[in-house]
Amino acid sequence: MKRDKPKYKQIVDAAVIVIAENGYHQAQVSKIAKEAGVADGTIYLYFKNKEDILISVFREKMGVFVDNVKEILKKEISATEMLARMIENHFSLLNGDRHLAIVTQLELRQSNKELRNRINEVLKEYLTLLDTILKEGIEKGEFDKQIDIRLARQMVFGTIDETITSWVMNDQKYDLMKLAPEVHRLILNGMKA
Amino acid sequence: MKRDKPKYKQIVDAAVIVIAENGYHQAQVSKIAKEAGVADGTIYLYFKNKEDILISVFREKMGVFVDNVKEILKKEISATEMLARMIENHFSLLNGDRHLAIVTQLELRQSNKELRNRINEVLKEYLTLLDTILKEGIEKGEFDKQIDIRLARQMVFGTIDETITSWVMNDQKYDLMKLAPEVHRLILNGMKA
Amino acid sequence: MKRDKPKYKQIVDAAVIVIAENGYHQAQVSKIAKEAGVADGTIYLYFKNKEDILISVFREKMGVFVDNVKEILKKEISATEMLARMIENHFSLLNGDRHLAIVTQLELRQSNKELRNRINEVLKEYLTLLDTILKEGIEKGEFDKQIDIRLARQMVFGTIDETITSWVMNDQKYDLMKLAPEVHRLILNGMKA
Amino acid sequence: MKRDKPKYKQIVDAAVIVIAENGYHQAQVSKIAKEAGVADGTIYLYFKNKEDILISVFREKMGVFVDNVKEILKKEISATEMLARMIENHFSLLNGDRHLAIVTQLELRQSNKELRNRINEVLKEYLTLLDTILKEGIEKGEFDKQIDIRLARQMVFGTIDETITSWVMNDQKYDLMKLAPEVHRLILNGMKA
DNA sequence: GATGAATGAGGGTTCATTCAT
DNA sequence: GATGAATGAACCCTCATTCAT
């Protein structure tokens, strides 16, 4: 499996750095190859084309978000608490990787519709886990039975996303983690029973 | 004033159509000119360069959003009610212009950092009006005094934006207007005193 | 006759200024029109096309050189003296019009082969007058009978031209007129009997 | 070193041919690439941009002129003789390459001021060698001590240049080499002690 | 005669991808 | 598997010229 080979990860990590430092439109394949310490042609032994690199970046990195939320879901805690942990996890992973934050919040959004559709497929798994939390909260009576799951999901993700993007656009000047409790409170107020 | 000339509006409207139908990266100046029924060179009598067209699209169209919200602010109604009208207005304007919805929610976000910064400047005026509503709601005791205005703004705008983007990405299959009351309720719950 | 109308001269003079100040490749018709205080379209009432303006510039201005040399030829002086006066006249006319010097020595030489051929036709009249002086000098025994008229002409014009171009490229820092006697002496030594 | 690779020379030689046959303003990069038998993009592996090709043409070709004159300077001959050999060399190199003669005498002079400045820098080395000959001639008493080196240089180069340009503009109809002795004699007369 | 808005052809350059070594 | 030189398609913008008013 190519994904397990060291050069695969080298190239994915190089892509994150190059995109973050140069911007999406200045992230040429040759720059990524150079950053990864391989020849241009080598990229094509591991990836079908440039788009494939970008999707892989998102899939590899988003995988950590998904794995962490799966761990959270296994815990014996309330949905409210799960939501708090999910927000913290989301904020924490991006707070700890400046390059990745720039790439996911700003640069990858400049990709074309097709690439963004592929990215959304990856995102879907994450949002499905969010739905699981929301449904559990409703079932357990923590959240209002009346709420539309889809809208609630959009509020949760929209609020998280907008908050992080705003932080990135302000050059990550403040500590993102400090905002987590208030974001959680705002969201919870919107849904609680 | 160039902006008042008919060809200016022709070109802006043509740009919206071309971008919506072909995607940001396939919206060549020559396509816009053809759609507008003018020669390529004519574009440059009204716009400095391609980027200027795109900013103008956003500014012209966003101007309607801003003007409408300014009207809403003049009315003698509660902040809660203003928020409802603002959401309805936002949903309504995009619900009624499929092309514009695609352009603002998907295509213009693919532009480079510089253009998006310019777009954000235009957006700032709209968000400032939203802040005005939020502050009034807090003063009048409708919204919780504890809330952080910046986070509340991000929740309101993030939720609206995420809801519309989701609608656009689902090919505008359902009626966006029907979601307005529930979105309003969710947001309000998050903030009410 | 169009050439006698005031706008004709206005446009020719404007062309000299615009070319000198902006360079040949930045001397757009619209700039010349603006400098001349007429509309773009008006240019085409007096000139067939842009090339026609440039040829006219050269013809009108070179006309003064030719007229002056004709006057010199009428005088009852030696060929040696005529040569001195011709050099002085040439230096004097360009020393006194910085814009014209830039245009003739630098900018008009960037024109394409066809235009330069047309310019050379105009120049030919001037060179023919030079030949007349040289022939007279040979006949009168002032210049060496052995010299090849064509080569002598090339030496005289080449030396004058190179000297002036060098002066222009040094930003006309020194007084061109002071070089005339030495240039005359050098040239004369090359030809004298 | 790129300059030693065969494609570098292929492209430079192709540029000389294309410029000579089509004129400076019709020498598109794609034409040069086609003449050189490479793809358009390959040009940019060896040259920064179009201007870089043109400067390289001048530098590569002028280099031969300079190298030859350096050889002449090493010989144990009088300055008068050096001057003769220098003129012969200059005439010979252009007499033997019709395309190059057209390019240096007519086409490259149509370039913009910046490019011509770059070209003049290359030319400066050649003119400095000429100065060396002139100074030596003065020291050894062959040339007049009174002459202004700068003016003398301008006479020598101006006469050579004007002679060759005239030959090129007459479609290289006659044998340029036959003019060398007379040009040498004319110039020498202008300077001899 | 004078205007100036409109026209539209034309070219340097980038960069994802290939393939001979 | 790895290399990197070579490829060639694609596009924004300028500006000389026209012509309806």
Side-chain angles (χ1 to χ4, degrees):
Chain A
M1 186 55 180
K2 302 219 157 171
R3 288 193 206 172
D4 298 331
K5 301 206 175 172
K7 289 204 176 164
Y8 179 88
K9 289 198 182 305
Q10 264 174 52
I11 294 168
V12 165
D13 288 340
V16 172
I17 293 170
V18 169
I19 294 171
E21 294 187 345
N22 299 276
Y24 180 82
H25 292 289
Q26 282 305 307
Q28 292 88 351
V29 172
S30 59
K31 265 189 200 149
I32 296 173
K34 197 174 181 183
E35 176 73 32
V38 301
D40 292 18
T42 305
I43 297 270
Y44 292 87
L45 298 174
Y46 294 89
F47 300 89
K48 215 175 70 212
N49 51 34
K50 187 179 179 180
E51 189 176 73
D52 190 25
I53 309 174
L54 304 176
I55 293 166
S56 301
V57 163
F58 199 77
R59 193 177 40 217
E60 294 292 321
K61 300 304 181 184
M62 205 64 210
V64 182
F65 286 71
V66 168
D67 290 347
N68 286 2
V69 175
K70 280 181 180 168
E71 287 305 311
I72 292 169
L73 273 165
K74 284 181 190 162
K75 295 184 195 296
E76 304 252 343
I77 51 180
S78 67
T80 301
E81 180 66 13
M82 282 177 183
L83 203 53
R85 301 258 179 115
M86 183 179 187
I87 293 170
E88 280 164 14
N89 174 60
H90 199 122
F91 279 22
S92 169
L93 286 175
L94 293 176
N95 196 46
D97 190 340
R98 309 174 69 82
H99 284 145
L100 184 61
I102 293 169
V103 170
T104 61
Q105 302 307 117
L106 300 184
E107 301 302 339
L108 277 187
R109 309 197 175 190
Q110 299 174 45
S111 54
N112 58 40
K113 201 184 287 183
E114 198 189 325
L115 176 52
R116 271 178 300 119
N117 279 335
R118 306 280 306 272
I119 285 178
N120 278 322
E121 285 172 23
V122 177
L123 200 59
K124 207 166 276 177
E125 191 181 358
Y126 188 64
L127 294 176
T128 301
L129 293 176
L130 172 54
D131 279 6
T132 306
I133 296 177
L134 296 177
K135 280 175 194 158
E136 199 170 311
I138 291 172
E139 279 172 22
K140 291 191 175 164
E142 295 176 62
F143 303 152
D144 186 347
K145 280 174 190 161
Q146 309 283 331
I147 63 168
D148 178 321
I149 287 272
R150 190 185 56 196
L151 283 185
R153 178 213 309 146
Q154 284 161 12
M155 181 188 66
V156 174
F157 189 76
T159 304
I160 291 174
D161 192 63
E162 187 71 18
T163 303
I164 297 174
T165 297
S166 186
W167 169 72
V168 172
M169 293 196 65
N170 277 290
D171 300 318
Q172 314 182 342
K173 277 199 290 259
Y174 44 89
D175 185 358
L176 186 58
M177 295 313 294
K178 287 193 180 148
L179 300 182
E182 174 70 356
V183 168
H184 182 242
R185 202 181 64 77
L186 267 175
I187 287 172
L188 213 65
N189 280 348
M191 303 190 302
K192 68 183 169 197
Chain B
M1 185 58 179
K2 301 219 156 168
R3 288 192 205 170
D4 298 330
K5 298 198 178 173
K7 294 217 167 148
Y8 180 89
K9 290 196 183 305
Q10 264 176 54
I11 294 168
V12 165
D13 289 340
V16 172
I17 294 171
V18 169
I19 294 171
E21 294 187 346
N22 298 275
Y24 180 81
H25 292 288
Q26 282 304 306
Q28 292 89 348
V29 171
S30 59
K31 268 188 196 149
I32 296 173
K34 198 173 183 184
E35 175 72 33
V38 300
D40 291 18
T42 305
I43 299 270
Y44 294 88
L45 296 176
Y46 295 90
F47 300 90
K48 217 174 67 213
N49 49 35
K50 188 180 178 180
E51 189 177 71
D52 191 26
I53 308 174
L54 303 175
I55 293 167
S56 300
V57 162
F58 198 76
R59 193 177 41 217
E60 292 294 319
K61 300 304 181 184
M62 204 65 209
V64 182
F65 286 70
V66 168
D67 290 347
N68 286 3
V69 174
K70 281 181 180 168
E71 286 305 311
I72 291 167
L73 274 164
K74 286 182 190 163
K75 292 183 197 296
E76 304 251 343
I77 52 181
S78 68
T80 301
E81 180 66 13
M82 282 178 183
L83 204 54
R85 300 256 179 118
M86 183 178 187
I87 294 169
E88 278 164 16
N89 173 60
H90 199 123
F91 279 22
S92 169
L93 286 174
L94 292 176
N95 195 48
D97 190 339
R98 310 173 69 80
H99 285 142
L100 184 60
I102 293 169
V103 170
T104 60
Q105 301 307 117
L106 302 184
E107 302 302 339
L108 276 188
R109 308 196 177 190
Q110 300 173 44
S111 53
N112 59 39
K113 204 178 286 183
E114 197 190 324
L115 177 51
R116 272 178 300 125
N117 279 336
R118 306 279 306 268
I119 285 178
N120 279 325
E121 284 171 24
V122 177
L123 199 59
K124 207 166 275 178
E125 192 180 358
Y126 188 64
L127 294 176
T128 302
L129 293 176
L130 171 54
D131 279 6
T132 306
I133 295 177
L134 296 177
K135 282 174 193 160
E136 198 170 312
I138 291 170
E139 280 172 24
K140 290 191 177 166
E142 296 174 60
F143 304 152
D144 185 347
K145 280 174 191 163
Q146 310 283 332
I147 63 168
D148 177 323
I149 287 272
R150 190 185 57 197
L151 281 186
R153 180 212 310 146
Q154 283 162 12
M155 181 187 67
V156 174
F157 189 75
T159 304
I160 291 174
D161 192 62
E162 186 71 19
T163 303
I164 297 172
T165 297
S166 186
W167 169 71
V168 172
M169 293 199 65
N170 277 289
D171 300 319
Q172 314 180 345
K173 278 200 291 260
Y174 44 89
D175 184 359
L176 186 58
M177 296 311 294
K178 286 192 180 149
L179 301 182
E182 175 68 358
V183 168
H184 183 240
R185 204 180 63 77
L186 269 174
I187 288 172
L188 212 65
N189 280 348
M191 304 190 303
K192 68 183 169 197
Chain C
M1 186 57 177
K2 301 217 159 176
R3 287 192 206 172
D4 298 329
K5 301 206 177 173
K7 289 205 175 163
Y8 179 89
K9 289 197 184 305
Q10 265 174 50
I11 294 167
V12 166
D13 288 340
V16 173
I17 294 171
V18 170
I19 294 171
E21 295 187 345
N22 299 276
Y24 179 83
H25 292 289
Q26 283 304 308
Q28 292 88 350
V29 172
S30 59
K31 266 190 198 148
I32 297 173
K34 197 174 183 184
E35 176 72 32
V38 301
D40 293 17
T42 305
I43 298 270
Y44 291 87
L45 297 174
Y46 294 90
F47 300 88
K48 215 175 71 214
N49 50 34
K50 186 180 179 180
E51 189 175 73
D52 191 24
I53 309 175
L54 303 176
I55 293 166
S56 301
V57 164
F58 199 77
R59 194 177 41 218
E60 293 292 321
K61 299 304 180 184
M62 205 63 210
V64 182
F65 286 70
V66 169
D67 290 348
N68 285 3
V69 175
K70 280 182 180 168
E71 287 303 312
I72 292 168
L73 274 165
K74 286 182 189 162
K75 292 184 196 297
E76 305 251 343
I77 52 179
S78 68
T80 300
E81 181 64 14
M82 282 178 183
L83 205 52
R85 300 258 179 114
M86 183 180 186
I87 293 168
E88 280 164 15
N89 174 61
H90 199 123
F91 280 22
S92 169
L93 286 174
L94 294 176
N95 197 46
D97 190 339
R98 310 172 70 81
H99 284 145
L100 185 59
I102 293 168
V103 170
T104 61
Q105 302 306 119
L106 300 184
E107 302 302 339
L108 276 188
R109 309 198 175 190
Q110 300 173 45
S111 55
N112 59 39
K113 201 183 286 184
E114 198 189 325
L115 176 52
R116 271 177 301 120
N117 279 335
R118 306 278 308 269
I119 284 178
N120 278 322
E121 284 172 23
V122 176
L123 200 58
K124 208 167 274 177
E125 192 181 359
Y126 188 65
L127 294 176
T128 301
L129 293 175
L130 171 54
D131 280 5
T132 306
I133 295 177
L134 295 177
K135 282 174 193 159
E136 199 169 310
I138 292 170
E139 278 172 24
K140 290 190 177 167
E142 295 174 62
F143 303 152
D144 186 347
K145 281 174 190 161
Q146 309 282 332
I147 63 166
D148 178 321
I149 288 274
R150 189 185 55 197
L151 283 186
R153 179 212 309 146
Q154 283 161 14
M155 182 188 64
V156 175
F157 190 76
T159 304
I160 292 174
D161 192 63
E162 188 71 19
T163 303
I164 298 173
T165 298
S166 187
W167 168 71
V168 172
M169 293 196 66
N170 277 289
D171 300 319
Q172 314 183 342
K173 279 200 288 260
Y174 44 90
D175 185 357
L176 186 57
M177 296 310 295
K178 286 192 181 150
L179 300 182
E182 174 70 357
V183 168
H184 183 240
R185 203 181 64 77
L186 268 175
I187 287 172
L188 213 64
N189 280 348
M191 305 189 304
K192 69 182 169 197
Chain D
M1 185 56 180
K2 300 218 158 169
R3 288 193 205 171
D4 299 329
K5 297 198 180 173
K7 294 216 167 150
Y8 180 88
K9 290 195 183 305
Q10 263 176 54
I11 293 166
V12 166
D13 290 339
V16 173
I17 294 171
V18 169
I19 294 171
E21 294 186 346
N22 298 276
Y24 179 83
H25 293 289
Q26 283 304 308
Q28 293 88 349
V29 171
S30 58
K31 268 189 196 148
I32 296 173
K34 199 173 182 183
E35 175 72 32
V38 300
D40 291 18
T42 305
I43 299 271
Y44 293 88
L45 296 176
Y46 295 90
F47 301 90
K48 217 175 67 215
N49 49 34
K50 188 180 179 180
E51 189 177 72
D52 190 26
I53 308 175
L54 304 175
I55 293 167
S56 301
V57 163
F58 198 78
R59 194 177 40 214
E60 293 293 320
K61 300 303 181 183
M62 204 65 208
V64 182
F65 285 70
V66 168
D67 290 347
N68 287 1
V69 174
K70 281 182 180 167
E71 287 303 312
I72 291 169
L73 274 165
K74 287 181 189 162
K75 294 184 196 296
E76 304 251 343
I77 52 180
S78 68
T80 302
E81 181 65 14
M82 281 178 183
L83 204 53
R85 301 254 178 118
M86 183 178 185
I87 293 169
E88 280 164 17
N89 174 60
H90 199 124
F91 279 22
S92 168
L93 286 174
L94 293 176
N95 196 48
D97 190 339
R98 310 174 68 80
H99 285 143
L100 184 60
I102 293 169
V103 170
T104 60
Q105 302 306 118
L106 302 184
E107 301 302 340
L108 278 188
R109 308 195 178 192
Q110 299 173 44
S111 53
N112 58 40
K113 202 179 288 183
E114 197 191 323
L115 176 51
R116 273 179 300 125
N117 279 337
R118 305 279 307 268
I119 285 177
N120 279 327
E121 284 172 23
V122 177
L123 200 57
K124 207 167 274 178
E125 191 180 0
Y126 188 64
L127 295 176
T128 301
L129 293 175
L130 172 53
D131 279 5
T132 306
I133 296 177
L134 296 177
K135 281 174 194 160
E136 198 170 310
I138 292 171
E139 280 172 23
K140 290 188 177 169
E142 296 174 61
F143 304 151
D144 186 348
K145 281 174 190 162
Q146 310 283 331
I147 63 169
D148 178 322
I149 289 272
R150 190 185 56 196
L151 281 185
R153 180 212 309 145
Q154 282 161 12
M155 182 188 64
V156 175
F157 189 76
T159 304
I160 292 174
D161 192 62
E162 187 71 17
T163 303
I164 297 173
T165 298
S166 186
W167 168 72
V168 171
M169 294 198 66
N170 277 288
D171 299 319
Q172 314 182 341
K173 279 199 291 260
Y174 45 89
D175 185 357
L176 187 57
M177 295 311 295
K178 286 191 180 150
L179 301 182
E182 175 68 359
V183 167
H184 182 239
R185 204 183 62 78
L186 268 175
I187 288 172
L188 212 64
N189 281 348
M191 305 189 304
K192 70 183 168 196

